[in-house]
Amino acid sequence: MRLIWICLTEFNKRGRTYMYAAGIDIGTTSICCVIADTNTGAKVNVLEKPNDAALPSLNGWDRTQDTDRIVEVVEGIIGELAAGWGSVGAIGISCQMHGMLYVDVHGRAVSPLFTWQDRRGDLLFNESMTYAAYMQEKTGYALASGYGLVTHFYHMHHQLVPPEAVYLCTIGDYVAMRLCGLSVPQIDASNAASFGLFDLAAGQFDLAKIEELGMNPGMLPPVAGAEAAAGMTKDGKLVACAIGDNQASFLGSVPSLEQSMLVNIGTGAQISVYSETPEADPGAEIRPFPGGGYLLVGASLGGGKTYALLEALFREICESFADAPPASRSFYERMNELAEEALREDEPPLRVSAHFFGSRQNPDLTGAISGINDRNFTARQLILGFLAGMADELLGFAESFPERLRSRITTVAASGNGVRKNRVMQQLLHAKLGHPVYLSAIEEEAALGAALFAGVMGRLFPDRSAAISCFQRSEANDA
């Protein structure tokens, strides 16, 4: 790491002044890059492309993406942002957590990306237990399908580990390797913990438990220290180690590290608070936070997927009963309008349990709709019930956060299109939590958070709080 600082300093001495930090977010459905001015906090440029790397499912439970296609999209985005790229001094990367891929001795991918949505860990390991459940009982660690080491354990038992594989890593680690020309991945603790079997106290993988399960710990990437970077690009830009998208969204969304609660609703959904110590009741995940500390997280498998499920139902109804198929445009805008109408009605609410995709603890959990009568059995109230059920599921996780953390919260930060583009969800959160809802000045929160982290790593900011203060300039929205 010291060599990287020396290189960056010397490069600046030769007359180049870096003012910008770039953040690349590799999401499940899109890939985005934000370039931000570290002097003013202004967004210099942003470019988002679809993540079109999804591979056809060979089974009902596998979810994979083409790793090199993802790299092509990232490189294409950088090429299109060439005008401002010369002033970028540090590059951050955030990525979809839990997923993993294999690389060879040259640092090249020899497998697809097995994403966080992959369900092979829910298949039966023996007559009574899934792979994830067996590993959890054997080790005592909370594990779920989609976690990198659960996927790897399944592959090991079915001889599916590529013979050329030397390391496993996240897609963010792989992109960092390609940007820097490296052959050995480094993994930040925020992503390492998402693989599972990670000792929070030690800040390292639990090698003894991994060996006990018959896995080779030598395939795990080295866990980077808090001050470590992945490397340097050929043109002298520092590349920070990739961080988890949940942590990146937190950094890019909140007006204060300690006094904010983040509600993120995208494809999935999470509710998070920052903690200096790793303590929480059962039901909350404790995730390492980039630069130190922890993020306490309640994670739903539904979120935006739950709303998409309802949108698909309305689309099917229209296609089944209308004389002509509906317009190809999304129904979401109209659904949001109907939800606002329902909010103004004096009707008993529908009660929706939004566990339509199960939970990490219980994949067989199902959703439910109750409280139906002849007055509220309408499309408007059903939409409102779904939104309220999504909010209630997340707020239920918040009960597992220590009271000392909940009591210091003054603002609910919101990120993801499931909140940002839905005024009713904002109003529900405001009413249920009693705090103003804050929308980040820059919509691409995870990419912004990655840029913020890279700026701190590249010493463009003295610390995380200074970076947050620089970038967050919009006013809280009281919904």
Side-chain angles (χ1 to χ4, degrees):
M1 183 62 187
R2 186 171 184 275
L3 178 61
I4 292 174
W5 292 136
I6 292 173
C7 290
L8 186 59
T9 302
E10 290 301 314
F11 198 79
N12 282 331
K13 284 180 179 178
R14 293 197 291 270
R16 192 77 170 266
T17 301
Y18 291 123
M19 298 181 294
Y20 299 162
I24 301 168
D25 175 51
I26 305 167
T28 309
T29 58
S30 65
I31 299 174
C32 176
C33 181
V34 167
I35 299 177
D37 189 325
T38 60
N39 288 328
T40 66
K43 178 172 66 176
V44 176
N45 212 335
V46 60
L47 186 60
E48 182 174 334
K49 298 285 187 179
N51 182 348
D52 58 5
L55 296 171
S57 174
L58 300 177
N59 305 282
W61 37 260
D62 63 336
R63 297 291 184 274
T64 58
Q65 294 182 344
D66 184 329
T67 51
D68 288 322
R69 174 56 187 158
I70 291 173
V71 173
E72 287 177 6
V73 175
V74 171
E75 291 174 343
I77 288 174
I78 291 174
E80 290 190 47
L81 295 175
W85 199 252
S87 296
V88 171
I91 303 168
I93 302 168
S94 74
C95 63
Q96 45 181 291
M97 296 169 67
H98 305 297
M100 57 81 68
L101 63 113
Y102 297 100
V103 297
D104 63 15
V105 68
H106 304 294
R108 292 290 176 147
V110 291
S111 78
L113 167 66
F114 303 92
T115 75
W116 64 277
Q117 294 176 317
D118 196 89
R119 302 301 293 265
R120 69 196 66 208
D122 288 335
L123 300 177
L124 287 177
F125 174 76
N126 54 35
E127 292 183 357
S128 61
M129 303 185 75
T130 66
Y131 283 85
Y134 171 81
M135 294 175 69
Q136 182 165 310
E137 183 175 273
K138 187 82 171 175
T139 64
Y141 283 88
L143 294 162
S145 190
Y147 282 28
L149 286 178
V150 174
T151 302
H152 178 55
F153 183 71
Y154 176 92
H155 290 165
M156 186 190 69
H157 275 266
H158 290 268
Q159 291 79 52
L160 295 175
V161 178
E164 314 95 325
V166 177
Y167 290 105
L168 53 89
C169 64
T170 72
I171 186 61
D173 304 328
Y174 185 60
V175 169
M177 292 168 67
R178 294 292 297 271
L179 290 176
C180 299
L182 304 173
S183 58
V184 178
Q186 275 196 94
I187 189 168
D188 183 77
S190 61
N191 273 321
S194 78
F195 273 3
L197 302 177
F198 188 83
D199 186 334
L200 285 171
Q204 296 288 336
F205 289 108
D206 191 330
L207 302 184
K209 296 294 186 182
I210 289 168
E211 288 182 325
E212 187 178 335
L213 288 167
M215 293 187 286
N216 175 13
M219 293 193 70
L220 296 169
V223 179
E227 295 293 321
M232 300 283 285
T233 64
K234 289 182 180 180
D235 59 348
K237 303 181 193 306
L238 180 141
V239 179
C241 288
I243 60 176
D245 56 359
N246 179 212
Q247 291 90 332
S249 289
F250 194 91
L251 278 171
S253 301
V254 300
S256 166
L257 193 62
E258 295 86 4
Q259 295 178 305
S260 300
M261 175 182 289
L262 173 66
V263 175
N264 175 272
I265 303 178
T267 305
Q270 305 88 28
I271 187 166
S272 316
V273 295
Y274 174 79
S275 177
E276 295 81 1
T277 57
E279 55 178 306
D281 295 335
E285 296 181 45
I286 304 173
R287 299 176 177 176
F289 198 73
Y294 302 87
L295 203 62
L296 307 188
V297 182
S300 165
L301 295 179
K305 289 196 300 178
T306 299
Y307 209 40
L309 192 68
L310 185 60
E311 195 263 1
L313 172 64
F314 289 136
R315 184 174 296 278
E316 181 183 357
I317 291 171
C318 289
E319 291 173 348
S320 298
F321 292 96
D323 293 334
S328 59
R329 71 177 181 85
S330 165
F331 284 10
Y332 291 116
E333 183 177 345
R334 181 56 179 153
M335 288 168 61
N336 294 343
E337 292 172 355
L338 289 172
E340 291 193 58
E341 293 178 16
L343 204 58
R344 294 191 293 268
E345 293 178 345
D346 185 21
E347 298 291 351
L350 288 174
R351 295 185 295 276
V352 177
S353 172
H355 297 100
F356 297 100
F357 299 91
S359 69
R360 294 202 183 279
Q361 293 74 28
N362 182 4
D364 296 324
L365 193 62
T366 60
I369 303 171
S370 61
I372 301 172
N373 63 30
D374 61 339
R375 290 177 294 161
N376 63 16
F377 193 45
T378 65
R380 297 185 301 277
Q381 290 295 334
L382 184 61
I383 296 166
L384 180 60
F386 262 64
L387 292 174
M390 291 161 57
D392 287 339
E393 182 187 13
L394 288 176
L395 299 185
F397 288 120
E399 295 300 315
S400 60
F401 300 156
E403 173 59 28
R404 68 173 183 82
L405 300 181
R406 284 183 284 148
S407 64
R408 72 184 187 185
I409 299 302
T410 59
T411 302
V412 177
S415 67
N417 287 341
V419 184
R420 185 177 284 276
K421 295 183 177 181
N422 195 315
R423 291 191 298 271
V424 171
M425 180 60 79
Q426 295 172 28
Q427 291 174 319
L428 290 171
L429 292 172
H430 176 60
K432 291 174 181 291
L433 288 169
H435 296 300
V437 175
Y438 178 94
L439 299 177
S440 170
I442 298 178
E443 293 188 17
E444 300 78 13
E445 298 95 351
L448 176 64
L452 184 157
F453 178 65
V456 175
M457 295 297 293
R459 297 188 177 178
L460 301 175
F461 296 107
D463 54 37
R464 295 172 300 187
S465 294
I468 289 171
S469 296
C470 178
F471 284 148
Q472 298 297 344
R473 301 185 184 279
S474 63
E475 295 296 326
N477 168 24
D478 287 317

